Amino acid sequence: MKKCVYAGTFDPLTSGHKSVIEKCLKIFDKVVVAVMVNPQKEPFLTVDERVELLKKLFSDNENVKICAFEGAAVDLLERENTPFYVRGVRDGIDLDYENRDRYANEKLKSDLITVYIPAEKSELHVSSSLVKNSVKFKKDFTEYIPVEILADFEEMLRKKGFNYV
């Protein structure tokens, strides 16, 4: 059985993230999707909210495991007993960043195999930052959030006091 880890902050989860996970399911038998806790970032949504959205989105797929993880990605790969680490890339800037990260990770885990999943042309501009800025500036973000969790995301925003669109 081939298993991979796809880790990120998912703050918030976008249609681009969903696309990467769906592609992983075509390559791997099991996909571990980890909401990483990054103390250097000030999150828009709580870890629990991000996990909740991911679990709802993939509730009907037993081959997707959702978890939260605080620590280094290589430690998560060790815990999950897999060398396959998936990264989504939109452009050359993402690829440069991910390659630098890969080289550092390979020093910590020599059997690491990084798999890059390129974004679809229609999703090259989609990012969590785009969604957050759209919310802050009261612009429509709905096409960037998977329809299955859009109402849940909007409810989370209302509870936080965001007045959007």
Side-chain angles (χ1 to χ4, degrees), residues 87-104:
R87 306 305 299 150
V89 293
R90 291 173 298 223
D91 56 23
I93 294 168
D94 280 356
L95 184 60
D96 287 346
Y97 172 82
E98 294 299 342
N99 265 331
R100 283 190 298 276
D101 196 47
R102 176 176 67 98
Y103 298 138

Side-chain angles (χ1 to χ4, degrees), residues 60-121:
D60 63 342
N61 195 321
E62 63 187 30
N63 296 322
V64 177
K65 173 185 170 183
I66 310 297
C67 66
F69 191 79
E70 187 170 353
V74 293
D75 294 332
L76 176 60
L77 289 162
E78 286 295 322
R79 184 186 84 182
E80 293 298 329
N81 194 31
T82 183
F84 299 109
Y85 188 41
V86 170
R87 306 305 299 150
V89 293
R90 291 173 298 223
D91 56 23
I93 294 168
D94 280 356
L95 184 60
D96 287 346
Y97 172 82
E98 294 299 342
N99 265 331
R100 283 190 298 276
D101 196 47
R102 176 176 67 98
Y103 298 138
N105 282 333
E106 284 177 346
K107 288 189 177 281
L108 301 171
K109 182 171 173 50
S110 62
D111 68 335
L112 175 80
I113 299 170
T114 304
V115 178
Y116 296 122
I117 306 278
E120 292 298 321
K121 184 178 177 182

